[in-house]
Amino acid sequence: AALAAAREDEEEKELRQRFMAPPVSGLRELRRRRRELRSRMELLIMETQAEVCRALAALDPGASFAVDSWERKEGGGGISCVLQDGEVFEKAGVNVSVVSGLLSEEAARQMRSRGKSLKAKDGKLPFCAMGVSSVIHPKNPHVPTMHFNYRYFEIEEADGTKQWWFGGGTDLTPTYLNEEDAIHFHKTLKEACDKHDLKLYPKYKKWCDDYFYIKHRGECRGIGGIFFDDMDSPSKEEVFQFVKSCAKAVVPCYIPIVKKHCHDSFTPEEKLWQQLRRGRYVEFNLVYDRGTKFGLLTPGSRIESILMSLPLTARWEYMHNPPESSKEAEILEVLRNPKDWVY
């Protein structure tokens, strides 16, 4: 018994060192339920958060992440890790949230509009949602912005049955087009998908291009990546393993691009173009993004964490049009007509 207790303490210490902060559900509770998928998903998002934060911090040694644990009175909480005003990153946030409670009517309506048949009991739908979400805005206009999000959702219906699904994706938003970087990024994500099913990458690449589309501008937010939602087959275990492969691909698909360009020289005009593209990023996130909408519709949600995706600085100029055949026009062409990068 003493040996088992000592082993447990050692395991707990090791887990604590691996994460940025103690998990929302508590280490003991996670260990007690470690075979349950909810616990394994929480461990995965905690590990992903720590892995990404450490990789970013290694590239920007003068800056450090503010680690902010928060609680939600309706149930659950989260850990926000945000780096601001570094040498390399203007703003980099990696958030984890594990929340539970009753789904708001607006959030339920949003889900039903996607074809979910949710049978409430006395108008109530208990839910549990968890995920890791990150947006990274670098200072240098030759380093692209990157976003990723991986999440799990569970809803208990009136008869006690549980609906569950996973969602997520990783996508890249460059200010200037670098084809070599675009190919590296897409190829790394394709390799993660191909381990599970060769049909997944083309399907989720197209979904990403369609989802991150700014309708009122007639252009995509960036050069895509992968995106999926409501994924509930072939089985819970298989989908979890797929999500795990995608989460593990985040550092290798992005960090080499940052390393390659973070010391590139740039002009004031290139910085201005970055600010204008950031404006488009803000427009998409506030007008169309499903995660932002869900967060804002969930009672007791933490607004600071939801709006962490917004850049520190952005710009909107009246009637700005780049000259034809310029580097700025080149990226616009790809945003208006998405390309296949790995075929």
Side-chain angles (χ1 to χ4, degrees):
L3 197 62
R7 200 160 49 238
E8 271 197 11
D9 286 344
E10 198 54 44
E11 198 181 308
E12 194 163 315
K13 197 170 138 191
E14 189 203 322
L15 276 178
R16 196 174 282 119
Q17 284 168 345
R18 254 166 50 199
F19 301 149
M20 298 299 285
V24 174
S25 300
L27 285 169
R28 287 217 156 86
E29 183 62 16
L30 281 180
R31 202 171 52 233
R32 196 174 63 78
R33 295 188 287 112
R34 64 169 159 254
R35 286 187 180 82
E36 288 179 29
L37 190 124
R38 270 166 64 165
S39 297
R40 290 164 68 207
M41 183 64 181
E42 187 169 348
L43 286 169
L44 173 64
I45 62 180
M46 292 295 298
E47 279 165 12
T48 305
Q49 180 185 51
E51 201 176 292
V52 173
C53 286
R54 286 180 184 131
L56 296 173
L59 294 178
D60 207 341
S64 61
F65 277 93
V67 179
D68 193 7
S69 295
W70 51 273
E71 282 181 19
R72 178 175 169 271
K73 69 173 190 296
E74 291 82 356
I79 300 145
S80 299
C81 296
V82 182
L83 181 158
Q84 281 186 158
D85 262 337
E87 285 296 310
V88 175
F89 303 108
E90 189 172 290
K91 188 178 181 191
V94 192
N95 286 354
V96 152
S97 66
V98 180
V99 298
S100 56
L102 298 173
L103 208 58
S104 73
E105 193 43 58
E106 293 98 317
R109 202 177 298 128
Q110 192 188 326
M111 286 174 185
R112 288 189 180 107
S113 74
R114 303 204 317 264
K116 298 249 172 248
S117 68
L118 303 172
K119 300 175 204 75
K121 186 178 184 180
D122 307 324
K124 293 185 173 72
L125 279 165
F127 82 96
C128 156
M130 62 181 70
V132 57
S133 177
S134 172
V135 178
I136 297 154
H137 293 290
K139 279 201 165 161
N140 193 312
H142 298 294
V143 182
T145 283
M146 196 267 285
H147 156 259
F148 75 88
N149 169 275
Y150 291 99
R151 58 193 179 274
Y152 172 69
F153 219 95
E154 208 175 78
I155 287 181
E156 193 175 323
E157 296 191 88
D159 60 1
T161 57
K162 283 183 180 171
Q163 276 204 51
W164 59 268
W165 64 90
F166 289 86
T170 304
D171 62 280
L172 198 69
T173 306
T175 301
Y176 288 96
L177 184 64
N178 180 303
E179 295 215 353
E180 203 179 81
D181 297 344
I183 292 164
H184 164 80
F185 184 80
H186 277 269
K187 214 171 163 183
T188 310
L189 294 177
K190 182 181 182 296
E191 282 163 11
C193 294
D194 286 356
K195 283 181 203 164
H196 300 271
D197 186 335
L198 297 179
K199 294 191 206 82
L200 295 178
Y201 170 77
K203 180 183 174 183
Y204 294 156
K205 191 265 181 201
K206 183 180 185 320
W207 197 342
C208 188
D209 290 336
D210 293 344
Y211 178 76
F212 291 107
Y213 183 69
I214 309 170
K215 293 186 192 74
H216 61 271
R217 297 284 187 183
E219 62 191 44
C220 295
R221 187 179 78 175
I223 59 158
I226 55 170
F227 177 84
F228 59 93
D229 208 353
D230 303 323
M231 194 176 182
D232 58 5
S233 66
S235 72
K236 206 182 248 192
E237 183 59 32
E238 283 169 284
V239 184
F240 173 70
Q241 291 301 334
F242 167 68
V243 167
K244 189 174 182 175
S245 294
C246 293
K248 294 289 173 204
V250 169
V251 167
C253 77
Y254 182 59
I255 294 298
I257 298 173
V258 183
K259 279 183 177 166
K260 184 175 155 189
H261 296 291
C262 63
H263 300 301
D264 288 3
S265 60
F266 58 88
T267 65
E269 291 74 25
E270 287 170 333
K271 187 68 186 171
L272 170 68
W273 178 242
Q274 181 194 46
Q275 297 290 292
L276 291 165
R277 296 313 307 164
R278 291 240 188 101
R280 298 284 206 267
Y281 204 92
V282 172
E283 287 175 28
F284 177 85
N285 280 30
L286 294 182
V287 177
Y288 301 113
D289 188 74
R290 202 183 283 167
T292 305
K293 282 182 177 176
F294 176 79
L296 297 176
L297 294 173
T298 303
S301 59
R302 191 168 188 266
I303 303 303
E304 283 296 320
S305 297
I306 296 161
L307 298 183
M308 169 216 77
S309 64
L310 303 182
L312 213 50
T313 60
R315 188 176 172 102
W316 286 265
E317 271 189 24
Y318 184 68
M319 301 295 280
H320 183 281
N321 278 308
E324 276 183 48
S325 306
S326 64
K327 283 281 197 191
E328 290 76 15
E330 180 188 31
I331 186 80
L332 281 182
E333 173 57 30
V334 171
L335 299 177
R336 287 169 185 160
N337 301 289
K339 278 178 71 166
D340 272 327
W341 297 101
V342 290
Y343 291 111

